[in-house]
Amino acid sequence: MTTDDWRRPGPTGEQQRLDLYAGLAATVLALLSLTLARSTGAFLLGPPPSGFEQLLWTVAVPLPLIWRRRFPSATALVVSAAFIGSQVRAVPEWQLSGWALFAAIYTLGAWGRDRRLSRRLRIGIIAAMFGWLAIAYAINYDVITAETFAGAVGPVPPVLAAIVTGLLVNGLYFAFAYFFGEIAWVAARRQHELAEQAERLRRSQAEIREHAVVSERVRIARELHDVVAHHVSVMGVQASACRRVFDKDPAKARTALTAIEESARTAVDELRRMLGVLRARDGDPERAEQPAGVDQIAAVVDRAREAGLRATLGVYGEPTPLPESVSQAAYRVVQEAVTNVLKHATGATLIDVRIRYLAREMEVEVTDDGRAAGPANADGLGLIGMRERTATHGGELEVGPRTGGGWRVRARFPLPVPSGRPA
């Protein structure tokens, strides 16, 4: 879309009300100016018409400003025609009328819907004004006498000096009205473009966040699928063994059935946490990778030491067997937290990783002594991943600064109730 193709939206209701008040105020001030001009008796444009006609012309120039932003082209034409008419009729009020003309030309430049028409109208109005100025000079040239410039002492002929002064003043007047209107229109267009860019950026960020959540859930689904597939395979092996010894060794068959029951309960628990996501592609190379778990957190701490940090690992409580999906989620949370310290924490020298086995839940915590390079981005992919993994298992995630400086990431995962143990 080119510059001339853009159409500035019309004025709001509030702007239309402001135009109404401004137009009425300008009309009242113009009437006051007319009263003062008639009181001085200084009729610079010549003998004035009747008082009623003076009132009509004085109102006709500023009153159309109440529609200046709704109908900028019509307003500029009406105000210009009324201004020239009042000048022709020698109405003594011209100060407020001049400002009304300025406002009309400015508004046409700032709010004109059709840019080509707006430019042509403004140029035409300005040309008409200079044409009227030339006619006024020609009409008044014959009435100029020697006494008019009796006090002239400058090097420039008086008549020429008066003409040049008029041209300079009017030239600056109309130039400012034209270019200020143009600048206002350009500023409005840039504001519109910025608003559109902000909206596109907002939509893009929303799509990125949605894609990140979906991608993370798909990865979680893959890991959970591997866990469930493992338990189903174990159930198949145990069922086969039970079938072979069912008649010969009931004790072994009972043991196999117990193992099948435990595997089935665990598999059902994992299936409930899959969030309904499906595997994105079959044959993904990631399927062949051995999923990491809590027992590999020590390797993450070792890599932090290799990066030059003082890293410690503490395990508190009696370690209990964890569902593989929980173990993987805890590992990923620690891995992401340590990665964030290495990438974003300024001045960090220490990382403390703690694993706590509590009565009903398992907790991992990563703290550091660095300073965040910037405010935490709640929509960052790392935080999204940690939040999704924790929420999948019904856990809680806490991320934020800690007392005394540094940062803390803490994730709690509820533990399954063992078979035969009251919940």
Side-chain angles (χ1 to χ4, degrees), residues 177-206:
Y178 185 98
F179 288 108
F180 283 165
E182 199 73 15
I183 290 172
W185 184 87
V186 172
R189 174 174 171 78
R190 288 177 178 173
Q191 184 178 5
H192 172 77
E193 291 175 345
L194 289 175
E196 284 190 337
Q197 291 175 1
E199 178 61 21
R200 287 196 298 268
L201 180 60
R202 186 195 64 78
R203 290 196 299 266
S204 176
Q205 290 175 340

Side-chain angles (χ1 to χ4, degrees), residues 294-295 297-302 305 310-319 334 338 350-358 362-367:
V294 172
D295 56 342
I297 290 179
V300 177
V301 176
D302 290 339
R305 292 193 188 103
R310 290 186 295 113
T312 60
L313 172 62
V315 180
Y316 303 90
E318 184 66 26
V334 173
V338 172
L350 172 65
I351 295 180
D352 182 26
V353 180
R354 300 188 181 189
I355 305 173
R356 299 185 181 93
Y357 293 93
L358 307 176
M362 178 263 189
E363 179 181 279
V364 291
E365 182 183 72
V366 180
T367 59

Side-chain angles (χ1 to χ4, degrees), residues 177-255:
Y178 185 98
F179 288 108
F180 283 165
E182 199 73 15
I183 290 172
W185 184 87
V186 172
R189 174 174 171 78
R190 288 177 178 173
Q191 184 178 5
H192 172 77
E193 291 175 345
L194 289 175
E196 284 190 337
Q197 291 175 1
E199 178 61 21
R200 287 196 298 268
L201 180 60
R202 186 195 64 78
R203 290 196 299 266
S204 176
Q205 290 175 340
E207 291 174 358
I208 291 174
R209 288 195 296 269
E210 182 179 355
H211 178 72
V213 170
V214 171
S215 298
E216 189 62 30
R217 289 179 176 178
V218 169
R219 286 194 293 270
I220 294 171
R222 288 176 181 150
E223 294 177 358
L224 292 176
H225 178 276
D226 292 339
V227 174
V228 173
H230 166 73
H231 287 292
V232 172
S233 299
V234 171
M235 290 166 60
V237 172
Q238 295 292 341
S240 176
C242 178
R243 178 179 54 80
R244 287 195 298 268
V245 301
F246 189 80
D247 295 326
K248 300 178 182 178
D249 194 341
K252 289 184 179 180
R254 188 178 296 107
T255 301

Side-chain angles (χ1 to χ4, degrees), residues 11 61 215 292 343 409 414 423:
V61 177
S215 298
K343 292 172 58 178
V409 175

Side-chain angles (χ1 to χ4, degrees), residues 49-291:
S50 65
F52 180 73
E53 185 177 350
Q54 293 179 42
L55 288 175
L56 290 180
W57 285 113
T58 301
V59 171
V61 177
L63 188 60
L65 292 179
I66 64 177
W67 299 288
R68 67 186 186 96
R69 280 187 277 204
R70 291 181 63 189
F71 309 105
S73 300
T75 299
L77 291 174
V78 171
V79 170
S80 301
F83 180 84
I84 292 178
S86 67
Q87 295 276 301
V88 171
R89 297 297 296 158
V91 176
E93 200 298 301
W94 51 269
Q95 292 92 342
L96 264 297
S97 298
W99 285 110
L101 177 62
F102 184 97
I105 296 175
Y106 163 82
T107 304
L108 178 56
W111 288 85
R113 311 293 188 268
D114 189 327
R115 296 311 296 168
R116 293 184 180 88
L117 178 62
S118 170
R119 293 191 185 99
R120 291 171 181 171
L121 285 178
R122 282 179 290 165
I123 293 173
I125 290 172
I126 293 172
M129 291 299 165
F130 275 102
W132 159 244
L133 184 64
I135 293 173
Y137 281 150
I139 293 174
N140 293 306
Y141 184 79
D142 294 336
V143 300
I144 296 176
T145 62
E147 289 77 12
T148 305
F149 302 105
V153 295
V156 181
V159 176
L160 178 61
I163 293 175
V164 172
T165 299
L167 291 175
L168 286 176
V169 171
N170 283 277
L172 290 174
Y173 171 90
F174 290 113
F176 282 136
Y178 185 98
F179 288 108
F180 283 165
E182 199 73 15
I183 290 172
W185 184 87
V186 172
R189 174 174 171 78
R190 288 177 178 173
Q191 184 178 5
H192 172 77
E193 291 175 345
L194 289 175
E196 284 190 337
Q197 291 175 1
E199 178 61 21
R200 287 196 298 268
L201 180 60
R202 186 195 64 78
R203 290 196 299 266
S204 176
Q205 290 175 340
E207 291 174 358
I208 291 174
R209 288 195 296 269
E210 182 179 355
H211 178 72
V213 170
V214 171
S215 298
E216 189 62 30
R217 289 179 176 178
V218 169
R219 286 194 293 270
I220 294 171
R222 288 176 181 150
E223 294 177 358
L224 292 176
H225 178 276
D226 292 339
V227 174
V228 173
H230 166 73
H231 287 292
V232 172
S233 299
V234 171
M235 290 166 60
V237 172
Q238 295 292 341
S240 176
C242 178
R243 178 179 54 80
R244 287 195 298 268
V245 301
F246 189 80
D247 295 326
K248 300 178 182 178
D249 194 341
K252 289 184 179 180
R254 188 178 296 107
T255 301
L257 289 173
T258 302
I260 292 173
E261 180 185 1
E262 292 290 345
S263 296
R265 186 174 288 125
T266 302
V268 170
D269 184 57
E270 299 296 344
L271 284 172
R272 287 174 178 171
R273 296 188 179 113
M274 289 185 65
L275 297 177
V277 294
L278 301 175
R279 187 182 303 276
R281 295 186 304 270
D282 292 327
D284 194 318
E286 292 182 2
R287 295 179 60 188
E289 295 180 1
Q290 182 66 26

Side-chain angles (χ1 to χ4, degrees), residues 336-418:
E336 184 63 34
V338 172
T339 301
N340 285 342
V341 174
L342 297 175
K343 292 172 58 178
H344 304 300
T346 304
T349 60
L350 172 65
I351 295 180
D352 182 26
V353 180
R354 300 188 181 189
I355 305 173
R356 299 185 181 93
Y357 293 93
L358 307 176
R360 297 293 179 86
E361 60 186 9
M362 178 263 189
E363 179 181 279
V364 291
E365 182 183 72
V366 180
T367 59
D368 66 85
D369 61 350
R371 301 184 307 277
N377 181 10
D379 297 322
L381 299 185
L383 287 180
I384 289 176
M386 289 191 287
R387 191 178 298 114
E388 286 292 322
R389 290 177 183 276
T390 307
T392 298
H393 300 281
E396 297 178 356
L397 178 70
E398 300 177 14
V399 180
R402 64 191 183 102
T403 304
W407 204 257
R408 171 185 286 112
V409 175
R410 178 186 294 162
R412 296 186 183 93
F413 300 91
L415 296 179
V417 179

